[in-house]
Amino acid sequence: MSTHYRIRHGLLLAALGIVIQMPATAAPWSFGIISDTQWAPQNDTNRTVAIHVIDRVNEQFVAHGVDLVLQVGDLHDTISPTAIGVRAAHNQALADAGIPFYPVRGNHDDERRALSTYKATFDQSAYSTPSFGADGQAAQGLSYAFTHENAKFVLIDPYAMPNGKRYTVADHQPWIDSELAAADHDHAFVLAHPNLQGQNHKDNLFGGSPDANPDMQNAFIQSLDDNGVRYYFSGHDHMHHRAVVTSPDGQSRVMQVIGASDSFKFYDPAPPYSAREQNVAQELETIGYYVYTVDGPRVSGRFYSSPIWWTQPDGTDGSPTWTLRETFGYSLNGQQFLVQPGQSFAGIQDVGPVGAGWIGTEMAILDGVNATWS
């Protein structure tokens, strides 16, 4: 297996932010994202949980002073009540620092016999959850949404519920629409374990292939786009990968951020690839985590990674070397423009509003080419 430490860049998102005068905002705050934390072989200590990686990443989250941490699925390689307890125990550093932990299940957590332990351990029942007809609150504590400061987080669990039924994104869609359209947030982030379009895995949030259930894809991506969601966070592919995904009807788009591995597993990209996915950045075969800072209308994402640092099968030896690998972000002010590799920046412009404390201003990029390596 080859190792790729270099960030691969392709498409660029050029941003022009018109910020002339704005009201005072709350202090900046941040949240962390950790991805798949699977480990093997199983022993009495780890129970298929990557405890050594979790401990090192949580040290970083505490040092960054994040307000909360979210995990995009696959908390274990083989789920069991014991494994759930091990995963929870290794969040003690977060708990000691007063940092809450919000997970959503992945395919390796899809085990009905462990659901009662999972729901009791990671109790999210106080938050908004979808109701599925006669089944009532089948998704309570599994799919859920909450607000923190000026942001809404919507976590989607498409796996088997206590009644054994799997509820698709189409089943979730009215609840997703309602949460994203609510007036209780400025920023919104949507999370689930499956990708919108996978670089390695071809099963995704909508089915078993990139083009599965196009109507479902159109409705979901349109909901995110219409409601100002800039980032969809997922796991499953065990690689750092950012890409703009366009709906099958070509009318909507959103950026997906697939989380780097926090596991012993690493995957490489493999065809077929979807023409509706425009790659922005990628790094393979490193351990990584993310810190997102929300500062009024602005969100800045930072991706940190380390080469594999352990040599022993139990993974307990050595120390990571964390490096800031990429910074990216957006602002609710101004616009973003997609710029293909080799394409000129000339002609990109934005005009600021007039009135309500703003001064009408025009900004433009006069020259330059997207010369990023891809």
Side-chain angles (χ1 to χ4, degrees), residues 4 48 54 60 163 173 179 192 213 225 261 299 310 318 338:
H4 305 272
T48 78
I54 295 166
Q60 296 302 113
N163 56 14
Q173 197 63 59
E179 290 295 334
N213 296 304
D225 197 353
S261 180
V299 172
W310 59 85
L338 301 180

Side-chain angles (χ1 to χ4, degrees), residues 72-359:
V72 286
D74 282 3
L75 282 72
H76 336 75
D77 197 52
T78 303
I79 191 172
S80 67
T82 303
I84 293 169
V86 170
R87 178 64 188 89
H90 283 268
N91 277 338
Q92 191 60 50
L94 299 181
D96 291 344
I99 301 171
F101 175 72
Y102 298 95
V104 66
R105 290 192 303 161
N107 57 295
H108 282 264
D109 310 316
D110 183 10
E111 171 54 73
R112 286 181 61 203
R113 291 172 295 181
L115 262 181
S116 60
T117 302
Y118 178 91
K119 292 176 70 173
T121 302
F122 305 110
D123 182 13
Q124 316 298 352
S125 59
Y127 300 111
S128 166
T129 60
S131 180
F132 298 119
D135 294 321
Q137 296 286 357
Q140 190 171 35
L142 299 174
S143 292
Y144 59 99
F146 66 93
T147 57
H148 179 81
E149 298 289 351
N150 57 340
K152 168 71 65 72
F153 295 88
V154 179
L155 294 88
I156 304 167
D157 185 325
Y159 301 102
M161 298 296 171
N163 56 14
K165 183 176 179 180
R166 296 174 184 270
Y167 292 91
T168 67
V169 171
D171 296 313
H172 284 77
Q173 197 63 59
W175 171 73
I176 294 169
D177 292 344
S178 176
E179 290 295 334
L180 295 180
D184 58 354
H185 60 275
D186 298 321
H187 302 276
F189 306 99
V190 179
L191 302 85
H193 181 67
N195 314 132
L196 300 181
Q197 298 288 333
Q199 281 285 290
N200 179 273
H201 294 87
K202 302 310 166 185
D203 61 300
N204 55 51
L205 189 63
F206 312 104
S209 68
D211 295 319
N213 296 304
D215 290 344
M216 192 186 303
Q217 294 195 48
N218 288 335
F220 181 78
I221 298 174
Q222 179 182 351
S223 181
L224 272 58
D225 197 353
D226 286 352
N227 288 290
V229 177
R230 306 297 181 91
Y231 294 146
Y232 170 85
F233 301 124
S234 63
H236 200 41
D237 256 0
H238 295 240
M239 67 177 71
H240 169 63
H241 181 74
R242 291 198 300 121
V244 176
V245 176
T246 301
S247 57
D249 62 9
Q251 300 302 303
S252 309
R253 69 189 187 198
V254 68
M255 176 170 285
Q256 70 168 354
V257 184
I258 300 176
S261 180
D262 291 299
S263 167
F264 75 104
K265 297 179 181 179
F266 304 90
Y267 297 110
D268 287 338
Y273 305 112
S274 173
R276 293 185 290 105
E277 181 186 29
Q278 297 177 291
N279 296 343
V280 178
Q282 184 180 92
E283 182 173 275
L284 308 179
E285 298 165 26
T286 57
I287 301 295
Y289 69 91
Y290 302 80
V291 174
Y292 291 85
T293 299
V294 182
D295 183 4
R298 295 170 292 279
V299 172
S300 177
R302 288 170 287 162
F303 166 55
Y304 297 85
S305 74
S306 171
I308 298 169
W309 62 83
W310 59 85
T311 60
Q312 299 301 311
D314 63 5
T316 56
D317 66 312
S319 299
T321 303
W322 299 114
T323 303
L324 176 60
R325 302 294 288 146
E326 188 187 21
T327 300
F328 51 95
Y330 70 85
S331 176
L332 299 177
N333 301 317
Q335 301 292 325
Q336 284 186 328
F337 303 86
L338 301 180
V339 183
Q340 299 287 349
Q343 182 176 325
S344 172
F345 296 137
I348 294 177
Q349 61 183 11
D350 189 19
V351 178
V354 178
W358 292 81
I359 301 173

